[in-house]
Amino acid sequence: MAAGLKTIIALSFVLAIGFLLVILSSALWHNYLPLLVVATYVVAPLPNWICGRCANPDDFMENAGSAVVDFGRFVTGFLVVMGIALPALLAHCALIQYPAMAMSIVGGLLIYGTIISFTMFFQEEQEF
């Protein structure tokens, strides 16, 4: 599936909306703790990418390198859940307001979804 110019523009727009929501969740209530969500969602795809590169792609047996890939997926899942749970924890402890929590979670999910969509659309296909 080839990604065209419309795909790039749409994904960039969604990414900008996600960053806008997270920045507004911090700026409107004068509390910059929700910006930690951006760090977790930006770092979240890295373990999956690193562990995918560490697995041996030349091996004909699929099960041989699956432990490294599974570990990368586990750490990525942990970071995504932390991106959702961190604003909820901060709101529960009354460090941020509940509307800031909602804006931060929705913005973070938009950011992570855009990052995953970019990697899906612009993936190089491997040829033998």
Side-chain angles (χ1 to χ4, degrees):
M1 176 180 217
L5 186 61
K6 290 182 182 180
T7 306
I8 294 172
I9 292 171
L11 287 175
S12 299
F13 182 72
V14 172
L15 183 67
I17 295 288
F19 275 117
L20 178 69
L21 282 173
V22 173
I23 290 170
L24 282 178
S25 72
S26 298
L28 290 178
W29 286 275
H30 304 292
N31 192 350
Y32 296 98
L33 287 174
L35 286 177
L36 294 173
V37 174
V38 175
T40 59
Y41 281 115
V42 169
V43 173
L46 291 179
N48 215 4
W49 178 70
I50 291 170
C51 291
R53 295 285 180 186
C54 290
N56 191 4
D58 295 332
D59 195 10
F60 290 113
M61 298 195 50
E62 294 284 328
N63 296 332
S66 66
V68 175
V69 174
D70 287 342
F71 177 72
R73 290 180 183 159
F74 173 76
V75 174
T76 298
F78 173 77
L79 289 171
V80 169
V81 170
M82 188 174 82
I84 296 170
L86 184 64
L89 177 73
L90 292 173
H92 178 74
C93 295
L95 293 174
I96 63 173
Q97 303 292 326
Y98 282 100
M101 174 197 73
M103 289 174 69
S104 180
I105 289 174
V106 170
L109 289 175
L110 285 174
I111 291 169
Y112 183 69
T114 304
I115 292 170
I116 293 300
S117 298
F118 266 119
T119 57
M120 279 182 15
F121 283 123
F122 299 107
Q123 227 174 24
E124 296 178 2
E125 293 190 21
Q126 296 180 358
E127 295 180 14
F128 292 101

mmCIF file of all heavy atoms in Angstrom, residues 25 29 34 84 87-89 91-92 96-106:
data_model
loop_
_atom_site.group_PDB
_atom_site.id
_atom_site.type_symbol
_atom_site.label_atom_id
_atom_site.label_comp_id
_atom_site.label_asym_id
_atom_site.label_seq_id
_atom_site.Cartn_x
_atom_site.Cartn_y
_atom_site.Cartn_z
ATOM 1 N N SER A 25 -3.842 20.796 27.605
ATOM 2 C CA SER A 25 -4.133 20.217 28.917
ATOM 3 C C SER A 25 -3.133 20.698 29.965
ATOM 4 O O SER A 25 -3.450 20.759 31.154
ATOM 5 C CB SER A 25 -4.130 18.689 28.852
ATOM 6 O OG SER A 25 -2.819 18.185 28.701
ATOM 7 N N TRP A 29 -4.487 24.792 32.565
ATOM 8 C CA TRP A 29 -4.571 24.669 34.014
ATOM 9 C C TRP A 29 -3.252 25.005 34.700
ATOM 10 O O TRP A 29 -3.093 24.741 35.880
ATOM 11 C CB TRP A 29 -5.052 23.266 34.385
ATOM 12 C CG TRP A 29 -6.509 23.120 34.108
ATOM 13 C CD1 TRP A 29 -7.532 23.467 34.935
ATOM 14 C CD2 TRP A 29 -7.114 22.599 32.923
ATOM 15 N NE1 TRP A 29 -8.728 23.202 34.326
ATOM 16 C CE2 TRP A 29 -8.504 22.677 33.100
ATOM 17 C CE3 TRP A 29 -6.621 22.086 31.728
ATOM 18 C CZ2 TRP A 29 -9.406 22.251 32.136
ATOM 19 C CZ3 TRP A 29 -7.515 21.679 30.768
ATOM 20 C CH2 TRP A 29 -8.891 21.761 30.972
ATOM 21 N N PRO A 34 1.081 16.989 32.712
ATOM 22 C CA PRO A 34 0.569 16.151 31.608
ATOM 23 C C PRO A 34 1.508 16.050 30.412
ATOM 24 O O PRO A 34 1.312 15.189 29.557
ATOM 25 C CB PRO A 34 -0.735 16.842 31.198
ATOM 26 C CG PRO A 34 -1.178 17.556 32.415
ATOM 27 C CD PRO A 34 0.078 17.995 33.092
ATOM 28 N N ILE A 84 -1.632 6.075 29.490
ATOM 29 C CA ILE A 84 -3.029 6.254 29.862
ATOM 30 C C ILE A 84 -3.171 6.361 31.380
ATOM 31 O O ILE A 84 -3.933 7.175 31.897
ATOM 32 C CB ILE A 84 -3.874 5.082 29.320
ATOM 33 C CG1 ILE A 84 -3.853 5.095 27.800
ATOM 34 C CG2 ILE A 84 -5.301 5.135 29.842
ATOM 35 C CD1 ILE A 84 -4.442 3.861 27.169
ATOM 36 N N PRO A 87 -1.817 10.037 33.540
ATOM 37 C CA PRO A 87 -2.729 11.155 33.802
ATOM 38 C C PRO A 87 -3.850 10.796 34.773
ATOM 39 O O PRO A 87 -4.275 11.630 35.573
ATOM 40 C CB PRO A 87 -3.302 11.506 32.425
ATOM 41 C CG PRO A 87 -2.384 10.919 31.455
ATOM 42 C CD PRO A 87 -1.756 9.747 32.118
ATOM 43 N N ALA A 88 -4.324 9.552 34.713
ATOM 44 C CA ALA A 88 -5.361 9.129 35.657
ATOM 45 C C ALA A 88 -4.829 9.137 37.089
ATOM 46 O O ALA A 88 -5.523 9.558 38.019
ATOM 47 C CB ALA A 88 -5.877 7.746 35.285
ATOM 48 N N LEU A 89 -3.602 8.690 37.267
ATOM 49 C CA LEU A 89 -2.986 8.716 38.589
ATOM 50 C C LEU A 89 -2.767 10.140 39.078
ATOM 51 O O LEU A 89 -3.035 10.459 40.238
ATOM 52 C CB LEU A 89 -1.652 7.964 38.551
ATOM 53 C CG LEU A 89 -0.856 7.955 39.851
ATOM 54 C CD1 LEU A 89 -1.526 7.042 40.850
ATOM 55 C CD2 LEU A 89 0.560 7.531 39.595
ATOM 56 N N ALA A 91 -4.471 12.759 38.195
ATOM 57 C CA ALA A 91 -5.776 13.345 38.507
ATOM 58 C C ALA A 91 -6.320 12.788 39.814
ATOM 59 O O ALA A 91 -6.925 13.518 40.603
ATOM 60 C CB ALA A 91 -6.756 13.085 37.373
ATOM 61 N N HIS A 92 -6.092 11.512 40.073
ATOM 62 C CA HIS A 92 -6.562 10.907 41.323
ATOM 63 C C HIS A 92 -5.850 11.513 42.532
ATOM 64 O O HIS A 92 -6.455 11.691 43.587
ATOM 65 C CB HIS A 92 -6.345 9.395 41.287
ATOM 66 C CG HIS A 92 -6.749 8.704 42.544
ATOM 67 N ND1 HIS A 92 -8.067 8.517 42.877
ATOM 68 C CD2 HIS A 92 -6.011 8.164 43.545
ATOM 69 C CE1 HIS A 92 -8.129 7.886 44.043
ATOM 70 N NE2 HIS A 92 -6.882 7.655 44.469
ATOM 71 N N ILE A 96 -3.401 17.162 38.909
ATOM 72 C CA ILE A 96 -3.948 17.814 37.727
ATOM 73 C C ILE A 96 -5.472 17.726 37.808
ATOM 74 O O ILE A 96 -6.024 16.927 38.574
ATOM 75 C CB ILE A 96 -3.438 17.185 36.403
ATOM 76 C CG1 ILE A 96 -3.874 15.732 36.266
ATOM 77 C CG2 ILE A 96 -1.935 17.317 36.276
ATOM 78 C CD1 ILE A 96 -3.548 15.118 34.917
ATOM 79 N N GLN A 97 -6.155 18.520 37.014
ATOM 80 C CA GLN A 97 -7.615 18.517 36.973
ATOM 81 C C GLN A 97 -8.106 17.368 36.086
ATOM 82 O O GLN A 97 -7.387 16.879 35.212
ATOM 83 C CB GLN A 97 -8.128 19.848 36.426
ATOM 84 C CG GLN A 97 -7.655 21.054 37.199
ATOM 85 C CD GLN A 97 -8.259 21.108 38.585
ATOM 86 O OE1 GLN A 97 -9.396 20.711 38.776
ATOM 87 N NE2 GLN A 97 -7.476 21.574 39.542
ATOM 88 N N TYR A 98 -9.367 16.945 36.284
ATOM 89 C CA TYR A 98 -9.926 15.859 35.483
ATOM 90 C C TYR A 98 -10.095 16.211 34.006
ATOM 91 O O TYR A 98 -9.874 15.354 33.155
ATOM 92 C CB TYR A 98 -11.243 15.364 36.098
ATOM 93 C CG TYR A 98 -11.000 14.476 37.289
ATOM 94 C CD1 TYR A 98 -11.119 14.961 38.580
ATOM 95 C CD2 TYR A 98 -10.625 13.152 37.119
ATOM 96 C CE1 TYR A 98 -10.881 14.155 39.672
ATOM 97 C CE2 TYR A 98 -10.384 12.323 38.194
ATOM 98 C CZ TYR A 98 -10.515 12.835 39.472
ATOM 99 O OH TYR A 98 -10.262 12.033 40.547
ATOM 100 N N PRO A 99 -10.502 17.441 33.643
ATOM 101 C CA PRO A 99 -10.520 17.760 32.204
ATOM 102 C C PRO A 99 -9.119 17.714 31.576
ATOM 103 O O PRO A 99 -8.977 17.307 30.413
ATOM 104 C CB PRO A 99 -11.085 19.175 32.151
ATOM 105 C CG PRO A 99 -11.839 19.337 33.417
ATOM 106 C CD PRO A 99 -11.135 18.495 34.423
ATOM 107 N N ALA A 100 -8.111 18.103 32.338
ATOM 108 C CA ALA A 100 -6.740 18.002 31.836
ATOM 109 C C ALA A 100 -6.356 16.540 31.626
ATOM 110 O O ALA A 100 -5.650 16.205 30.672
ATOM 111 C CB ALA A 100 -5.764 18.677 32.794
ATOM 112 N N MET A 101 -6.829 15.667 32.512
ATOM 113 C CA MET A 101 -6.573 14.238 32.363
ATOM 114 C C MET A 101 -7.197 13.719 31.077
ATOM 115 O O MET A 101 -6.545 13.015 30.296
ATOM 116 C CB MET A 101 -7.137 13.467 33.549
ATOM 117 C CG MET A 101 -7.042 11.963 33.400
ATOM 118 S SD MET A 101 -8.097 11.035 34.502
ATOM 119 C CE MET A 101 -9.697 11.314 33.792
ATOM 120 N N ALA A 102 -8.455 14.085 30.822
ATOM 121 C CA ALA A 102 -9.144 13.603 29.621
ATOM 122 C C ALA A 102 -8.455 14.119 28.360
ATOM 123 O O ALA A 102 -8.232 13.351 27.409
ATOM 124 C CB ALA A 102 -10.602 14.039 29.653
ATOM 125 N N MET A 103 -8.093 15.402 28.350
ATOM 126 C CA MET A 103 -7.416 15.959 27.178
ATOM 127 C C MET A 103 -6.058 15.308 26.959
ATOM 128 O O MET A 103 -5.655 15.047 25.827
ATOM 129 C CB MET A 103 -7.263 17.472 27.338
ATOM 130 C CG MET A 103 -8.551 18.237 27.222
ATOM 131 S SD MET A 103 -8.361 19.980 27.595
ATOM 132 C CE MET A 103 -7.391 20.523 26.212
ATOM 133 N N SER A 104 -5.364 15.023 28.036
ATOM 134 C CA SER A 104 -4.044 14.419 27.943
ATOM 135 C C SER A 104 -4.122 12.985 27.418
ATOM 136 O O SER A 104 -3.314 12.573 26.573
ATOM 137 C CB SER A 104 -3.375 14.456 29.311
ATOM 138 O OG SER A 104 -2.118 13.884 29.267
ATOM 139 N N ILE A 105 -5.098 12.233 27.881
ATOM 140 C CA ILE A 105 -5.248 10.849 27.425
ATOM 141 C C ILE A 105 -5.642 10.806 25.953
ATOM 142 O O ILE A 105 -5.057 10.057 25.160
ATOM 143 C CB ILE A 105 -6.257 10.093 28.307
ATOM 144 C CG1 ILE A 105 -5.668 9.846 29.697
ATOM 145 C CG2 ILE A 105 -6.660 8.773 27.659
ATOM 146 C CD1 ILE A 105 -6.635 9.232 30.684
ATOM 147 N N VAL A 106 -6.622 11.618 25.559
ATOM 148 C CA VAL A 106 -7.062 11.617 24.158
ATOM 149 C C VAL A 106 -5.934 12.104 23.245
ATOM 150 O O VAL A 106 -5.667 11.513 22.193
ATOM 151 C CB VAL A 106 -8.330 12.480 23.989
ATOM 152 C CG1 VAL A 106 -8.660 12.692 22.528
ATOM 153 C CG2 VAL A 106 -9.496 11.840 24.713
#
